[in-house]
Amino acid sequence: MPEVEHNTRISSWQEGDHVQGFAFLAKKERRQDRNGKDYLDLELADDTGSMVGKVWGGSPAITAEFEAHQFVAFRGSVRSYRDQLQLNVDHCRIATDDDRKYGFDEKLLIPSTREDIDDLQTRLHGVLEKVERPVLRRLVKETLEVHGEALRVHPAAKMMHHAYLGGLLEHTVSMAELAANICSHYRYLDQDLILVGILFHDLGKIHELGAMPANDYTKAGRLVGHVVIGWDLLRERCKAIEDFPEDLQLHLEHLVLSHQGKKEYSAAVEPMTAEALALHFIDDLDSKLAQVIQAREKDEPMQFLKGLGRYFFVSEGLEAAAGPESEETSDSTTDP
């Protein structure tokens, strides 16, 4: 049996690895297999990512006392199932203060943005300075005063993209900066509306999802969802400004309600203005590329990306697959 690796980061695990260390237990569900035998469905996380874990009936961990949203010590082996890596857990227990001498540190187990959060906040304020209408500038200022702190620390999703501390701020900043570039090209777009719409489009996630490290759906998140919650937050902030223009508010409401693009993807309505269409595609592009960027951290050229619903070559994988240029190719100046 290969030597057990201690405290290796989840993003570095590969099929066949035998690992042990510490993780945040994001999920624990008791289920039954086809033969009616109990097993545990887990999700283990650290600051580099997460992985599904399974505790089968023969493992001592099946009866151990540990629960979701606790820090745990574990040992197991990495296996591939349907082209997805998972950890078969042999042992698992609650991590204790005594484990600190073995490397237990909560800060290393909470998935977090690789960006500096203060810098992200500065960049957000900078790009939102491009908003010109005084009433919308006031809306931005007061919204950040009320919700800015939650925006700094919340994840942007539970699993698919920016699912870590600071993820919502990172996603919002990336979208806003991209929107400013797009609006400089398509000059007929109303940049004010798009930038404010981006600020509000996922703001409902501060109530849809619990703060890190739990990052699980709240009751309101399950029963209402971030689109409608965000719509309520927008209407609340607009109401706080006397005589807020009805036409601006209506268009902003449409941006929030339509940003998911299609009704089957939880949009209340589909985009029906140029600004709503642009916001939707900016959101879609940023969220999908975030999944690709996260996949690039794994040493696997070809990966199945659940959010894209297909296998995907990350860019390093394509370069690695192509290999170094031969002398004949690199010296050639003839067009193909």
Side-chain angles (χ1 to χ4, degrees), residues 206-270:
I206 65 176
H207 298 306
E208 180 184 52
L209 296 168
M212 299 299 292
N215 187 16
D216 204 354
Y217 287 101
T218 64
K219 184 181 291 186
R222 291 289 189 193
L223 298 179
V224 180
H226 79 277
V227 174
V228 175
I229 294 172
W231 179 53
D232 284 341
L233 294 178
L234 170 64
R235 288 159 63 90
E236 178 183 273
R237 297 313 327 147
C238 290
K239 186 178 180 180
I241 299 175
E242 187 175 0
D243 297 324
F244 193 93
E246 291 184 7
D247 59 335
L248 286 181
Q249 180 173 335
L250 182 61
H251 201 161
L252 287 171
E253 289 180 19
H254 178 64
L255 294 179
V256 172
L257 292 172
S258 67
H259 79 267
Q260 294 287 92
K262 293 183 178 295
K263 291 182 179 179
E264 55 263 39
Y265 299 148
S266 300
V269 292
E270 297 185 1

Short mmCIF file of all heavy atoms in Angstrom, two decimals, residues 206-270:
data_model
loop_
_atom_site.label_atom_id
_atom_site.label_comp_id
_atom_site.label_asym_id
_atom_site.label_seq_id
_atom_site.Cartn_x
_atom_site.Cartn_y
_atom_site.Cartn_z
N ILE A 206 -26.68 36.95 -0.18
CA ILE A 206 -26.28 37.17 1.21
C ILE A 206 -27.33 36.62 2.16
O ILE A 206 -27.05 36.40 3.35
CB ILE A 206 -26.00 38.65 1.50
CG1 ILE A 206 -27.27 39.50 1.38
CG2 ILE A 206 -24.91 39.19 0.59
CD1 ILE A 206 -27.08 40.96 1.75
N HIS A 207 -28.55 36.39 1.65
CA HIS A 207 -29.61 35.76 2.45
C HIS A 207 -29.96 34.37 1.94
O HIS A 207 -30.55 33.58 2.67
CB HIS A 207 -30.86 36.64 2.45
CG HIS A 207 -30.66 37.98 3.08
ND1 HIS A 207 -30.16 38.15 4.35
CD2 HIS A 207 -30.88 39.23 2.59
CE1 HIS A 207 -30.08 39.43 4.63
NE2 HIS A 207 -30.52 40.12 3.58
N GLU A 208 -29.60 34.07 0.70
CA GLU A 208 -29.88 32.73 0.15
C GLU A 208 -28.93 31.69 0.74
O GLU A 208 -29.31 30.55 0.99
CB GLU A 208 -29.73 32.75 -1.37
CG GLU A 208 -30.01 31.38 -2.00
CD GLU A 208 -29.77 31.38 -3.50
OE1 GLU A 208 -28.67 31.79 -3.93
OE2 GLU A 208 -30.67 30.97 -4.26
N LEU A 209 -27.67 32.09 0.95
CA LEU A 209 -26.63 31.18 1.44
C LEU A 209 -26.12 31.64 2.80
O LEU A 209 -26.00 32.84 3.05
CB LEU A 209 -25.46 31.13 0.46
CG LEU A 209 -25.76 30.56 -0.93
CD1 LEU A 209 -24.59 30.86 -1.87
CD2 LEU A 209 -26.02 29.07 -0.86
N GLY A 210 -25.78 30.68 3.65
CA GLY A 210 -25.14 31.00 4.90
C GLY A 210 -23.71 31.44 4.65
O GLY A 210 -23.09 31.10 3.65
N ALA A 211 -23.17 32.23 5.58
CA ALA A 211 -21.80 32.70 5.45
C ALA A 211 -20.84 31.52 5.59
O ALA A 211 -21.18 30.48 6.15
CB ALA A 211 -21.50 33.76 6.51
N MET A 212 -19.62 31.71 5.08
CA MET A 212 -18.60 30.68 5.21
C MET A 212 -18.27 30.48 6.68
O MET A 212 -18.32 31.44 7.46
CB MET A 212 -17.35 31.07 4.43
CG MET A 212 -17.60 31.23 2.94
SD MET A 212 -18.19 29.73 2.12
CE MET A 212 -16.75 28.68 2.25
N PRO A 213 -17.91 29.26 7.10
CA PRO A 213 -17.62 28.13 6.22
C PRO A 213 -18.82 27.25 5.87
O PRO A 213 -18.68 26.33 5.08
CB PRO A 213 -16.60 27.33 7.03
CG PRO A 213 -17.01 27.54 8.44
CD PRO A 213 -17.50 28.96 8.50
N ALA A 214 -19.99 27.52 6.48
CA ALA A 214 -21.13 26.62 6.27
C ALA A 214 -21.55 26.58 4.80
O ALA A 214 -21.68 25.52 4.20
CB ALA A 214 -22.30 27.04 7.14
N ASN A 215 -21.75 27.77 4.19
CA ASN A 215 -22.11 27.86 2.77
C ASN A 215 -23.19 26.84 2.39
O ASN A 215 -22.99 26.00 1.52
CB ASN A 215 -20.88 27.67 1.89
CG ASN A 215 -21.18 27.94 0.40
OD1 ASN A 215 -22.21 28.54 0.08
ND2 ASN A 215 -20.32 27.49 -0.49
N ASP A 216 -24.33 26.94 3.06
CA ASP A 216 -25.45 26.07 2.73
C ASP A 216 -26.69 26.93 2.58
O ASP A 216 -26.74 28.07 3.06
CB ASP A 216 -25.66 25.01 3.82
CG ASP A 216 -26.38 23.78 3.30
OD1 ASP A 216 -26.81 23.79 2.13
OD2 ASP A 216 -26.52 22.81 4.06
N TYR A 217 -27.70 26.40 1.91
CA TYR A 217 -28.90 27.19 1.66
C TYR A 217 -29.66 27.45 2.95
O TYR A 217 -29.84 26.56 3.79
CB TYR A 217 -29.80 26.47 0.66
CG TYR A 217 -29.27 26.50 -0.74
CD1 TYR A 217 -28.62 25.40 -1.28
CD2 TYR A 217 -29.41 27.63 -1.54
CE1 TYR A 217 -28.11 25.42 -2.57
CE2 TYR A 217 -28.91 27.66 -2.83
CZ TYR A 217 -28.26 26.56 -3.34
OH TYR A 217 -27.75 26.60 -4.61
N THR A 218 -30.10 28.69 3.11
CA THR A 218 -30.98 29.05 4.21
C THR A 218 -32.41 28.66 3.86
O THR A 218 -32.70 28.27 2.72
CB THR A 218 -30.92 30.56 4.47
OG1 THR A 218 -31.43 31.25 3.29
CG2 THR A 218 -29.50 31.03 4.74
N LYS A 219 -33.32 28.77 4.82
CA LYS A 219 -34.72 28.47 4.54
C LYS A 219 -35.25 29.42 3.46
O LYS A 219 -35.94 29.01 2.52
CB LYS A 219 -35.55 28.58 5.81
CG LYS A 219 -37.02 28.20 5.61
CD LYS A 219 -37.82 28.35 6.88
CE LYS A 219 -37.42 27.32 7.91
NZ LYS A 219 -38.31 27.37 9.12
N ALA A 220 -34.91 30.72 3.59
CA ALA A 220 -35.34 31.68 2.57
C ALA A 220 -34.70 31.37 1.22
O ALA A 220 -35.32 31.54 0.17
CB ALA A 220 -34.98 33.10 3.01
N GLY A 221 -33.45 30.90 1.26
CA GLY A 221 -32.78 30.54 0.02
C GLY A 221 -33.48 29.41 -0.71
O GLY A 221 -33.61 29.43 -1.93
N ARG A 222 -33.94 28.43 0.05
CA ARG A 222 -34.66 27.30 -0.55
C ARG A 222 -36.05 27.70 -1.02
O ARG A 222 -36.49 27.33 -2.12
CB ARG A 222 -34.78 26.16 0.46
CG ARG A 222 -33.47 25.47 0.81
CD ARG A 222 -32.96 24.63 -0.33
NE ARG A 222 -31.82 23.80 0.07
CZ ARG A 222 -31.05 23.16 -0.79
NH1 ARG A 222 -31.28 23.24 -2.08
NH2 ARG A 222 -30.03 22.43 -0.35
N LEU A 223 -36.76 28.45 -0.19
CA LEU A 223 -38.18 28.73 -0.46
C LEU A 223 -38.40 29.92 -1.39
O LEU A 223 -39.45 29.99 -2.05
CB LEU A 223 -38.92 28.96 0.86
CG LEU A 223 -38.96 27.77 1.83
CD1 LEU A 223 -39.72 28.15 3.10
CD2 LEU A 223 -39.59 26.55 1.17
N VAL A 224 -37.44 30.84 -1.44
CA VAL A 224 -37.63 32.05 -2.25
C VAL A 224 -36.56 32.16 -3.34
O VAL A 224 -36.87 32.35 -4.51
CB VAL A 224 -37.62 33.31 -1.35
CG1 VAL A 224 -37.82 34.58 -2.20
CG2 VAL A 224 -38.70 33.22 -0.28
N GLY A 225 -35.30 32.05 -2.96
CA GLY A 225 -34.22 32.11 -3.94
C GLY A 225 -33.63 33.51 -4.08
O GLY A 225 -34.29 34.52 -3.80
N HIS A 226 -32.38 33.57 -4.56
CA HIS A 226 -31.66 34.84 -4.55
C HIS A 226 -32.21 35.85 -5.55
O HIS A 226 -32.06 37.06 -5.36
CB HIS A 226 -30.17 34.61 -4.80
CG HIS A 226 -29.79 34.40 -6.23
ND1 HIS A 226 -29.88 33.18 -6.87
CD2 HIS A 226 -29.31 35.27 -7.17
CE1 HIS A 226 -29.46 33.30 -8.11
NE2 HIS A 226 -29.12 34.55 -8.34
N VAL A 227 -32.85 35.39 -6.63
CA VAL A 227 -33.37 36.33 -7.63
C VAL A 227 -34.46 37.20 -7.01
O VAL A 227 -34.42 38.44 -7.10
CB VAL A 227 -33.91 35.58 -8.86
CG1 VAL A 227 -34.59 36.55 -9.81
CG2 VAL A 227 -32.77 34.85 -9.57
N VAL A 228 -35.42 36.58 -6.36
CA VAL A 228 -36.52 37.34 -5.74
C VAL A 228 -36.03 38.10 -4.51
O VAL A 228 -36.44 39.23 -4.27
CB VAL A 228 -37.69 36.40 -5.38
CG1 VAL A 228 -38.78 37.16 -4.64
CG2 VAL A 228 -38.26 35.77 -6.65
N ILE A 229 -35.13 37.48 -3.74
CA ILE A 229 -34.58 38.19 -2.58
C ILE A 229 -33.83 39.44 -3.05
O ILE A 229 -33.98 40.53 -2.45
CB ILE A 229 -33.63 37.27 -1.78
CG1 ILE A 229 -34.41 36.11 -1.16
CG2 ILE A 229 -32.92 38.07 -0.68
CD1 ILE A 229 -33.52 35.06 -0.51
N GLY A 230 -33.05 39.33 -4.11
CA GLY A 230 -32.33 40.48 -4.64
C GLY A 230 -33.28 41.55 -5.15
O GLY A 230 -33.01 42.75 -5.01
N TRP A 231 -34.36 41.13 -5.76
CA TRP A 231 -35.39 42.08 -6.21
C TRP A 231 -35.95 42.86 -5.02
O TRP A 231 -36.11 44.08 -5.08
CB TRP A 231 -36.49 41.28 -6.93
CG TRP A 231 -37.65 42.07 -7.44
CD1 TRP A 231 -37.62 43.16 -8.25
CD2 TRP A 231 -39.04 41.81 -7.19
NE1 TRP A 231 -38.89 43.60 -8.54
CE2 TRP A 231 -39.79 42.78 -7.90
CE3 TRP A 231 -39.72 40.83 -6.47
CZ2 TRP A 231 -41.18 42.80 -7.88
CZ3 TRP A 231 -41.11 40.85 -6.45
CH2 TRP A 231 -41.83 41.83 -7.14
N ASP A 232 -36.22 42.16 -3.92
CA ASP A 232 -36.72 42.83 -2.71
C ASP A 232 -35.69 43.82 -2.15
O ASP A 232 -36.05 44.92 -1.72
CB ASP A 232 -37.06 41.79 -1.63
CG ASP A 232 -38.37 41.06 -1.90
OD1 ASP A 232 -39.18 41.59 -2.69
OD2 ASP A 232 -38.57 39.98 -1.32
N LEU A 233 -34.42 43.42 -2.15
CA LEU A 233 -33.38 44.32 -1.63
C LEU A 233 -33.27 45.58 -2.49
O LEU A 233 -33.09 46.69 -1.97
CB LEU A 233 -32.03 43.59 -1.60
CG LEU A 233 -31.92 42.42 -0.62
CD1 LEU A 233 -30.54 41.76 -0.73
CD2 LEU A 233 -32.17 42.87 0.82
N LEU A 234 -33.40 45.41 -3.80
CA LEU A 234 -33.37 46.57 -4.70
C LEU A 234 -34.54 47.50 -4.42
O LEU A 234 -34.36 48.72 -4.29
CB LEU A 234 -33.40 46.10 -6.15
CG LEU A 234 -33.60 47.19 -7.21
CD1 LEU A 234 -32.44 48.17 -7.22
CD2 LEU A 234 -33.79 46.57 -8.61
N ARG A 235 -35.73 46.96 -4.34
CA ARG A 235 -36.92 47.79 -4.08
C ARG A 235 -36.81 48.50 -2.73
O ARG A 235 -37.23 49.66 -2.59
CB ARG A 235 -38.17 46.91 -4.14
CG ARG A 235 -38.52 46.47 -5.56
CD ARG A 235 -39.41 45.23 -5.58
NE ARG A 235 -40.69 45.45 -4.94
CZ ARG A 235 -41.79 45.89 -5.57
NH1 ARG A 235 -41.73 46.16 -6.86
NH2 ARG A 235 -42.93 46.03 -4.93
N GLU A 236 -36.23 47.81 -1.77
CA GLU A 236 -36.05 48.40 -0.43
C GLU A 236 -35.11 49.60 -0.49
O GLU A 236 -35.37 50.64 0.12
CB GLU A 236 -35.49 47.33 0.50
CG GLU A 236 -35.20 47.79 1.92
CD GLU A 236 -34.59 46.66 2.73
OE1 GLU A 236 -35.34 45.86 3.31
OE2 GLU A 236 -33.34 46.56 2.76
N ARG A 237 -33.98 49.46 -1.21
CA ARG A 237 -33.02 50.56 -1.29
C ARG A 237 -33.57 51.71 -2.13
O ARG A 237 -33.31 52.88 -1.84
CB ARG A 237 -31.70 50.08 -1.89
CG ARG A 237 -30.93 49.02 -1.13
CD ARG A 237 -30.75 49.24 0.36
NE ARG A 237 -30.65 50.60 0.79
CZ ARG A 237 -31.11 51.04 1.95
NH1 ARG A 237 -31.76 50.23 2.76
NH2 ARG A 237 -30.96 52.29 2.31
N CYS A 238 -34.32 51.41 -3.20
CA CYS A 238 -34.93 52.47 -4.01
C CYS A 238 -35.97 53.23 -3.20
O CYS A 238 -36.08 54.47 -3.29
CB CYS A 238 -35.56 51.89 -5.27
SG CYS A 238 -34.39 51.27 -6.49
N LYS A 239 -36.74 52.51 -2.39
CA LYS A 239 -37.77 53.15 -1.58
C LYS A 239 -37.19 54.11 -0.56
O LYS A 239 -37.83 55.10 -0.17
CB LYS A 239 -38.60 52.07 -0.86
CG LYS A 239 -39.79 52.60 -0.09
CD LYS A 239 -40.58 51.45 0.54
CE LYS A 239 -41.79 51.98 1.30
NZ LYS A 239 -42.56 50.87 1.93
N ALA A 240 -35.94 53.84 -0.14
CA ALA A 240 -35.29 54.70 0.85
C ALA A 240 -34.87 56.05 0.25
O ALA A 240 -34.48 56.96 0.99
CB ALA A 240 -34.08 53.99 1.44
N ILE A 241 -34.92 56.16 -1.09
CA ILE A 241 -34.56 57.41 -1.76
C ILE A 241 -35.84 58.07 -2.26
O ILE A 241 -36.54 57.53 -3.11
CB ILE A 241 -33.60 57.14 -2.93
CG1 ILE A 241 -32.31 56.49 -2.42
CG2 ILE A 241 -33.30 58.44 -3.69
CD1 ILE A 241 -31.35 56.09 -3.52
N GLU A 242 -36.15 59.23 -1.72
CA GLU A 242 -37.41 59.90 -2.06
C GLU A 242 -37.46 60.24 -3.55
O GLU A 242 -36.48 60.70 -4.14
CB GLU A 242 -37.55 61.19 -1.24
CG GLU A 242 -38.89 61.87 -1.39
CD GLU A 242 -39.04 63.07 -0.47
OE1 GLU A 242 -38.08 63.36 0.29
OE2 GLU A 242 -40.11 63.71 -0.51
N ASP A 243 -38.62 59.95 -4.15
CA ASP A 243 -38.86 60.26 -5.56
C ASP A 243 -37.87 59.57 -6.50
O ASP A 243 -37.44 60.13 -7.52
CB ASP A 243 -38.82 61.78 -5.81
CG ASP A 243 -39.91 62.52 -5.05
OD1 ASP A 243 -41.02 61.96 -4.93
OD2 ASP A 243 -39.65 63.64 -4.58
N PHE A 244 -37.51 58.33 -6.15
CA PHE A 244 -36.63 57.58 -7.05
C PHE A 244 -37.36 57.39 -8.38
O PHE A 244 -38.53 56.97 -8.39
CB PHE A 244 -36.27 56.22 -6.45
CG PHE A 244 -35.13 55.54 -7.16
CD1 PHE A 244 -33.83 55.69 -6.72
CD2 PHE A 244 -35.37 54.76 -8.28
CE1 PHE A 244 -32.77 55.07 -7.38
CE2 PHE A 244 -34.33 54.13 -8.95
CZ PHE A 244 -33.02 54.30 -8.50
N PRO A 245 -36.72 57.68 -9.52
CA PRO A 245 -37.41 57.62 -10.82
C PRO A 245 -37.98 56.22 -11.10
O PRO A 245 -37.26 55.22 -11.05
CB PRO A 245 -36.31 57.96 -11.81
CG PRO A 245 -35.32 58.77 -11.02
CD PRO A 245 -35.33 58.16 -9.66
N GLU A 246 -39.26 56.18 -11.42
CA GLU A 246 -39.93 54.90 -11.64
C GLU A 246 -39.35 54.14 -12.83
O GLU A 246 -39.23 52.90 -12.78
CB GLU A 246 -41.44 55.12 -11.85
CG GLU A 246 -42.17 55.58 -10.59
CD GLU A 246 -43.67 55.69 -10.83
OE1 GLU A 246 -44.13 55.28 -11.92
OE2 GLU A 246 -44.38 56.17 -9.93
N ASP A 247 -38.98 54.87 -13.90
CA ASP A 247 -38.47 54.18 -15.08
C ASP A 247 -37.13 53.52 -14.81
O ASP A 247 -36.87 52.39 -15.25
CB ASP A 247 -38.37 55.14 -16.27
CG ASP A 247 -37.47 56.34 -15.98
OD1 ASP A 247 -37.30 56.68 -14.79
OD2 ASP A 247 -36.93 56.94 -16.95
N LEU A 248 -36.27 54.20 -14.04
CA LEU A 248 -34.98 53.60 -13.68
C LEU A 248 -35.17 52.38 -12.79
O LEU A 248 -34.53 51.35 -12.98
CB LEU A 248 -34.10 54.63 -12.96
CG LEU A 248 -33.47 55.74 -13.81
CD1 LEU A 248 -32.63 56.65 -12.93
CD2 LEU A 248 -32.64 55.15 -14.93
N GLN A 249 -36.07 52.52 -11.82
CA GLN A 249 -36.30 51.39 -10.91
C GLN A 249 -36.85 50.19 -11.67
O GLN A 249 -36.42 49.05 -11.44
CB GLN A 249 -37.26 51.78 -9.80
CG GLN A 249 -37.53 50.62 -8.83
CD GLN A 249 -38.34 51.02 -7.62
OE1 GLN A 249 -38.34 52.19 -7.22
NE2 GLN A 249 -39.05 50.07 -7.03
N LEU A 250 -37.78 50.42 -12.58
CA LEU A 250 -38.37 49.33 -13.34
C LEU A 250 -37.31 48.60 -14.16
O LEU A 250 -37.28 47.36 -14.22
CB LEU A 250 -39.47 49.85 -14.25
CG LEU A 250 -40.23 48.79 -15.07
CD1 LEU A 250 -40.93 47.80 -14.15
CD2 LEU A 250 -41.24 49.47 -16.00
N HIS A 251 -36.41 49.36 -14.80
CA HIS A 251 -35.38 48.73 -15.60
C HIS A 251 -34.40 47.95 -14.72
O HIS A 251 -33.99 46.83 -15.06
CB HIS A 251 -34.63 49.79 -16.43
CG HIS A 251 -33.92 49.21 -17.61
ND1 HIS A 251 -33.51 49.97 -18.68
CD2 HIS A 251 -33.53 47.94 -17.90
CE1 HIS A 251 -32.91 49.20 -19.57
NE2 HIS A 251 -32.91 47.96 -19.12
N LEU A 252 -34.04 48.52 -13.56
CA LEU A 252 -33.15 47.81 -12.64
C LEU A 252 -33.81 46.52 -12.13
O LEU A 252 -33.14 45.49 -12.01
CB LEU A 252 -32.78 48.71 -11.46
CG LEU A 252 -31.81 49.85 -11.77
CD1 LEU A 252 -31.69 50.79 -10.57
CD2 LEU A 252 -30.44 49.32 -12.15
N GLU A 253 -35.10 46.59 -11.85
CA GLU A 253 -35.82 45.39 -11.41
C GLU A 253 -35.76 44.31 -12.50
O GLU A 253 -35.56 43.13 -12.21
CB GLU A 253 -37.26 45.73 -11.07
CG GLU A 253 -37.41 46.55 -9.80
CD GLU A 253 -38.87 46.87 -9.48
OE1 GLU A 253 -39.77 46.19 -10.02
OE2 GLU A 253 -39.11 47.81 -8.71
N HIS A 254 -35.91 44.75 -13.75
CA HIS A 254 -35.85 43.79 -14.85
C HIS A 254 -34.46 43.15 -14.94
O HIS A 254 -34.34 41.94 -15.19
CB HIS A 254 -36.19 44.47 -16.18
CG HIS A 254 -36.11 43.56 -17.36
ND1 HIS A 254 -36.94 42.46 -17.52
CD2 HIS A 254 -35.26 43.55 -18.43
CE1 HIS A 254 -36.62 41.84 -18.63
NE2 HIS A 254 -35.60 42.47 -19.20
N LEU A 255 -33.41 43.94 -14.72
CA LEU A 255 -32.05 43.39 -14.77
C LEU A 255 -31.85 42.30 -13.72
O LEU A 255 -31.26 41.26 -14.01
CB LEU A 255 -31.03 44.51 -14.55
CG LEU A 255 -30.94 45.61 -15.62
CD1 LEU A 255 -29.90 46.65 -15.22
CD2 LEU A 255 -30.59 45.02 -16.97
N VAL A 256 -32.34 42.55 -12.52
CA VAL A 256 -32.19 41.56 -11.45
C VAL A 256 -33.03 40.32 -11.74
O VAL A 256 -32.56 39.19 -11.62
CB VAL A 256 -32.59 42.17 -10.09
CG1 VAL A 256 -32.62 41.10 -8.99
CG2 VAL A 256 -31.62 43.28 -9.70
N LEU A 257 -34.27 40.52 -12.14
CA LEU A 257 -35.19 39.40 -12.34
C LEU A 257 -34.85 38.54 -13.56
O LEU A 257 -35.24 37.37 -13.63
CB LEU A 257 -36.62 39.92 -12.46
CG LEU A 257 -37.21 40.54 -11.19
CD1 LEU A 257 -38.55 41.21 -11.49
CD2 LEU A 257 -37.38 39.49 -10.10
N SER A 258 -34.10 39.09 -14.51
CA SER A 258 -33.82 38.36 -15.75
C SER A 258 -32.38 37.89 -15.86
O SER A 258 -32.02 37.25 -16.86
CB SER A 258 -34.14 39.25 -16.96
OG SER A 258 -33.24 40.36 -17.03
N HIS A 259 -31.53 38.14 -14.86
CA HIS A 259 -30.10 37.93 -15.06
C HIS A 259 -29.73 36.45 -15.22
O HIS A 259 -28.68 36.14 -15.78
CB HIS A 259 -29.28 38.57 -13.93
CG HIS A 259 -29.25 37.77 -12.65
ND1 HIS A 259 -30.14 37.97 -11.63
CD2 HIS A 259 -28.41 36.78 -12.23
CE1 HIS A 259 -29.86 37.16 -10.63
NE2 HIS A 259 -28.82 36.41 -10.96
N GLN A 260 -30.60 35.52 -14.80
CA GLN A 260 -30.30 34.11 -15.00
C GLN A 260 -30.52 33.66 -16.45
O GLN A 260 -30.14 32.55 -16.83
CB GLN A 260 -31.18 33.25 -14.07
CG GLN A 260 -30.90 33.43 -12.59
CD GLN A 260 -29.59 32.79 -12.17
OE1 GLN A 260 -28.54 33.43 -12.17
NE2 GLN A 260 -29.63 31.53 -11.81
N GLY A 261 -31.15 34.50 -17.24
CA GLY A 261 -31.24 34.26 -18.68
C GLY A 261 -32.48 33.54 -19.15
O GLY A 261 -33.12 33.95 -20.11
N LYS A 262 -32.81 32.44 -18.51
CA LYS A 262 -33.97 31.65 -18.92
C LYS A 262 -34.78 31.26 -17.69
O LYS A 262 -34.24 31.08 -16.60
CB LYS A 262 -33.52 30.38 -19.67
CG LYS A 262 -32.88 30.66 -21.02
CD LYS A 262 -32.53 29.36 -21.72
CE LYS A 262 -31.93 29.62 -23.10
NZ LYS A 262 -32.90 30.26 -24.03
N LYS A 263 -36.08 31.09 -17.90
CA LYS A 263 -36.95 30.75 -16.78
C LYS A 263 -36.59 29.41 -16.16
O LYS A 263 -36.70 29.23 -14.96
CB LYS A 263 -38.41 30.77 -17.23
CG LYS A 263 -38.92 32.17 -17.56
CD LYS A 263 -40.39 32.17 -17.97
CE LYS A 263 -40.88 33.58 -18.27
NZ LYS A 263 -42.30 33.59 -18.68
N GLU A 264 -36.12 28.45 -17.00
CA GLU A 264 -35.75 27.16 -16.45
C GLU A 264 -34.48 27.24 -15.60
O GLU A 264 -34.15 26.31 -14.86
CB GLU A 264 -35.56 26.11 -17.55
CG GLU A 264 -34.57 26.47 -18.61
CD GLU A 264 -35.23 27.07 -19.85
OE1 GLU A 264 -36.19 27.85 -19.70
OE2 GLU A 264 -34.80 26.72 -20.96
N TYR A 265 -33.77 28.38 -15.67
CA TYR A 265 -32.60 28.61 -14.83
C TYR A 265 -32.91 29.58 -13.70
O TYR A 265 -32.02 30.23 -13.16
CB TYR A 265 -31.43 29.14 -15.66
CG TYR A 265 -30.98 28.20 -16.75
CD1 TYR A 265 -30.45 28.69 -17.93
CD2 TYR A 265 -31.09 26.81 -16.60
CE1 TYR A 265 -30.03 27.82 -18.94
CE2 TYR A 265 -30.67 25.95 -17.60
CZ TYR A 265 -30.15 26.47 -18.77
OH TYR A 265 -29.74 25.62 -19.76
N SER A 266 -34.19 29.69 -13.35
CA SER A 266 -34.68 30.49 -12.22
C SER A 266 -34.83 31.98 -12.51
O SER A 266 -35.02 32.77 -11.58
CB SER A 266 -33.80 30.31 -10.98
OG SER A 266 -33.78 28.96 -10.58
N ALA A 267 -34.75 32.39 -13.77
CA ALA A 267 -35.06 33.78 -14.11
C ALA A 267 -36.58 33.97 -13.99
O ALA A 267 -37.35 33.13 -14.45
CB ALA A 267 -34.61 34.12 -15.52
N ALA A 268 -37.00 35.08 -13.38
CA ALA A 268 -38.42 35.38 -13.29
C ALA A 268 -38.97 35.76 -14.66
O ALA A 268 -40.11 35.42 -15.02
CB ALA A 268 -38.66 36.50 -12.28
N VAL A 269 -38.17 36.48 -15.42
CA VAL A 269 -38.48 36.82 -16.81
C VAL A 269 -37.17 36.71 -17.59
O VAL A 269 -36.09 36.71 -17.01
CB VAL A 269 -39.04 38.25 -16.95
CG1 VAL A 269 -40.42 38.37 -16.32
CG2 VAL A 269 -38.09 39.28 -16.33
N GLU A 270 -37.27 36.60 -18.91
CA GLU A 270 -36.07 36.52 -19.72
C GLU A 270 -35.66 37.93 -20.16
O GLU A 270 -36.50 38.83 -20.24
CB GLU A 270 -36.30 35.60 -20.91
CG GLU A 270 -36.58 34.17 -20.46
CD GLU A 270 -36.70 33.18 -21.60
OE1 GLU A 270 -36.55 33.59 -22.76
OE2 GLU A 270 -36.92 31.98 -21.31
#
